[in-house]
Amino acid sequence: MNLAPNMQVTQHPLLRKLEAIGRLSDEEKQAILDLPQVTKVFEADTDIVQDGDRPSDCCLVLDGFVCRYKILPDGKRQIMGFYIPGDFPDLQSLHLRVMDHSVGTLVTSHVVLISHQNLQHLLRRYPNLADLFWRDTLVDAAIFREWMISIGRRTAFQRMAHLLCELQMRLSVVDLTRDKGYHLPVTQNELADALGLSTVHVNRVLQDLRAEGLIVLRGGALAIPDWEALQNAGEFDPAYLHQTR
């Protein structure tokens, strides 16, 4: 069974994402789509892989919203990344055998599980794909660095604006943005865990962004009336996403 039997090549989120950071031949695209796979549906707030696991598969987000997180001894959670369709949130498990964090869903999500063996065979057969997957992990690390800067040096207002800009750019690559906005299926508690803020502080910052006319947020539908102003508010420079398209 191939990776997406009912999805056109141009629509597949993984192919769209890889083409945003490099070039794919038709043969390479087909090789990705022909990968043996198991598709699973995970309900919201469900772990796909847990801290301490020794997974034999990598998970590809096909639909939904996923996060990488760590639970501290006092029970507090730090979210270290949001993952959208086209993302491999645990690609490092190809080489780091024991998970040192968990990956879980924020909403009901469709996830494709691809065995390490099949993925390694693909990357050995197609060196350009190996380069692109390596580049993808480096972009993931670049995103993590920006999140560190946000938590360490940016104000709460800047952190939120920066994150909303980042998601706009990443979602646009996989065609999940509308005109000046996108669906944001993340609660204020989850935003707090990602930005190192209290839920009360997150609520206040969102109100401030609304008051300044930078966002409109209703029922998970985010609109950005003035993209340039939101970028300026978050000191957002998209260079770290390394998107060539």
Side-chain angles (χ1 to χ4, degrees):
M1 186 183 297
N2 63 30
L3 196 58
N6 299 316
M7 185 178 293
Q8 294 181 13
V9 171
T10 56
Q11 297 174 331
H12 196 284
L14 176 58
L15 299 186
R16 291 181 66 91
K17 179 186 177 182
L18 292 177
E19 287 189 308
I21 60 173
R23 293 186 177 184
L24 290 172
S25 69
D26 290 341
E27 182 181 353
E28 289 166 339
K29 293 176 186 178
Q30 194 59 53
I32 290 175
L33 295 177
D34 287 341
L35 275 170
Q37 54 88 28
V38 175
T39 302
K40 289 190 175 182
V41 179
F42 291 87
E43 298 300 322
D45 303 314
T46 302
D47 283 336
I48 300 171
V49 61
Q50 294 182 326
D51 194 348
D53 283 354
R54 295 176 177 267
S56 58
D57 306 288
C58 286
C59 65
L60 166 68
V61 183
L62 201 59
D63 179 66
F65 220 82
V66 170
C67 72
R68 184 200 306 272
Y69 73 92
K70 186 90 172 180
I71 299 293
L72 303 181
D74 61 3
K76 294 179 181 178
R77 177 177 65 170
Q78 179 65 52
I79 290 178
M80 299 174 289
F82 289 135
Y83 296 90
I84 63 173
D87 286 342
F88 274 107
D90 66 343
L91 194 59
Q92 73 279 357
S93 70
L94 270 175
H95 301 289
L96 302 178
R97 298 303 183 186
V98 180
M99 293 293 293
D100 55 26
H101 60 275
S102 298
V103 174
T105 60
L106 299 176
V107 298
T108 299
S109 302
H110 291 74
V111 174
V112 172
L113 301 179
I114 304 172
S115 74
H116 289 167
Q117 181 178 0
N118 286 327
L119 199 50
Q120 288 167 340
H121 177 72
L122 174 77
L123 300 182
R124 284 193 295 266
R125 184 179 177 189
Y126 296 97
N128 181 56
L129 289 181
D131 288 344
L132 281 178
F133 276 62
W134 173 230
R135 189 175 305 166
D136 184 47
T137 63
L138 294 176
V139 173
D140 191 38
I143 292 171
F144 184 71
R145 288 193 292 273
E146 281 296 321
W147 280 44
M148 286 185 64
I149 293 169
S150 284
I151 291 176
R153 294 297 179 216
R154 293 187 177 115
T155 67
F157 188 84
Q158 290 171 329
R159 292 180 211 181
M160 185 67 73
H162 194 279
L163 175 62
L164 297 179
C165 286
E166 177 187 298
L167 290 174
Q168 169 76 22
M169 295 291 293
R170 292 170 59 196
L171 287 164
S172 68
V173 166
V174 290
D175 199 26
L176 290 176
T177 54
R178 300 181 299 274
D179 184 33
K180 296 183 178 180
Y182 52 90
H183 180 58
L184 182 65
V186 181
T187 68
Q188 292 189 14
N189 284 336
E190 290 158 353
L191 287 171
D193 288 347
L195 297 176
L197 302 170
S198 69
T199 305
V200 171
H201 205 169
V202 165
N203 184 271
R204 187 181 305 124
V205 169
L206 290 173
Q207 290 183 30
D208 290 343
L209 287 166
R210 290 189 185 100
E212 294 196 18
L214 298 178
I215 66 168
V216 178
L217 183 60
R218 295 193 184 97
L222 176 76
I224 304 173
D226 190 334
W227 169 245
E228 185 175 351
L230 187 64
Q231 281 186 294
N232 291 336
E235 299 181 347
F236 179 75
D237 179 353
Y240 72 97
L241 297 173
H242 300 279
Q243 294 174 353
T244 59
R245 174 171 63 82

